[in-house]
Structure formats: C-alpha cells, structure tokens
Amino acid sequence: MVNLGLSRVDDAVAAKHPGLGSYAACQSHAFMKGTGTFILGAASLFAIQKVLQRKLPYALQWNLLVSIVASSFGSYAVTRWETQKCSDLWVLLETGKVVDRSPARVSEPEELKKPSKTKYGDDME
C-alpha cells in the first residue's frame, strides 16, 4: 500500500501510475503554500492596518475582516496556481507531453477581413 495523504492507494494502482507519489507531494506542497500565504498574509495585513489605523481610525472587527478576506483571496490564487502546476506535472508524468497553456491565437474570420480591392477593380483606400 502507498500512502496518499490520509488514504492508502493499492499497490496495483501505484504501479500503474508511477508518478503518483510525485503528484501527491506536489499537491501537498501546493496546499501548504496556500495555507502559509493565508497565515502570513493575514498577519502582515493586520499589522499594516494597525499602523494605518492611527490616521484612519476604524473598529478592530473591520481590521480583522479586511485582513482575512484579502488573505483568503491571495491564498486561493496561490493554491490555484500551484495546483495547476501539479496538474501539468501529472500530465507530463503520465503522457510525457508538456501542457501548452499559452493563449490560442484566434484568426480573423474571412468575412471580417478587409479586401484590398472591390469587385469593380478599385482600391478601397
């Protein structure tokens, strides 16, 4: 049996997917990075707001709310980014192909392209 977080994976499944351990380690790292981002983000935003509170006095509850909400968004973004990298790693380990995440170029439809000449032979310009 192979441990994957708190659950165990059958040896047959682990043998079928040799990159499972690397993927699990990557996912664990991604979640820990997101958790660290939340904790450090909330603490630093709280401290920054405490300093700014001398000029803009407002209640402690709003200080906490802003810190927690902003840290949650930051933590989500970091975790999503890192999880996407883990998914790309999984595809690479399973298929041997690198995932292309660059935006696809959209070509202009034929009817939108500006003709250089009219049907009468004159230039459009």
Side-chain angles (χ1 to χ4, degrees):
M1 291 286 201
V2 176
N3 287 333
L4 186 63
L6 296 176
S7 60
R8 297 183 188 276
V9 178
D10 196 31
D11 287 333
V13 174
K16 186 177 177 185
H17 303 285
L20 188 60
S22 298
Y23 174 74
C26 182
Q27 280 296 117
S28 178
H29 185 259
F31 294 140
M32 290 308 294
K33 208 175 208 181
T35 303
T37 301
F38 176 77
I39 292 168
L40 291 175
S44 62
L45 285 172
F46 184 79
I48 289 170
Q49 289 183 60
K50 275 301 209 187
V51 170
L52 292 176
Q53 200 169 16
R54 294 178 187 147
K55 294 184 181 193
L56 288 167
Y58 52 92
L60 177 67
Q61 65 189 14
W62 294 109
N63 192 344
L64 287 171
L65 180 69
V66 169
S67 298
I68 290 172
V69 169
S71 302
S72 296
F73 282 118
S75 174
Y76 171 77
V78 167
T79 305
R80 185 170 185 257
W81 177 266
E82 293 295 319
T83 301
Q84 190 64 54
K85 291 196 296 189
C86 293
S87 296
D88 293 346
L89 173 68
W90 177 254
V91 171
L92 176 67
L93 292 172
E94 288 291 311
T95 64
K97 296 178 184 174
V98 177
V99 178
D100 182 24
R101 298 235 178 254
S102 60
R105 288 189 169 174
V106 179
S107 62
E108 228 177 279
E110 289 297 321
E111 62 266 4
L112 294 180
K113 289 184 179 175
K114 186 176 173 183
S116 60
K117 293 186 177 187
T118 63
K119 65 180 180 179
Y120 302 108
D122 299 334
D123 286 338
M124 292 289 289
E125 299 171 15

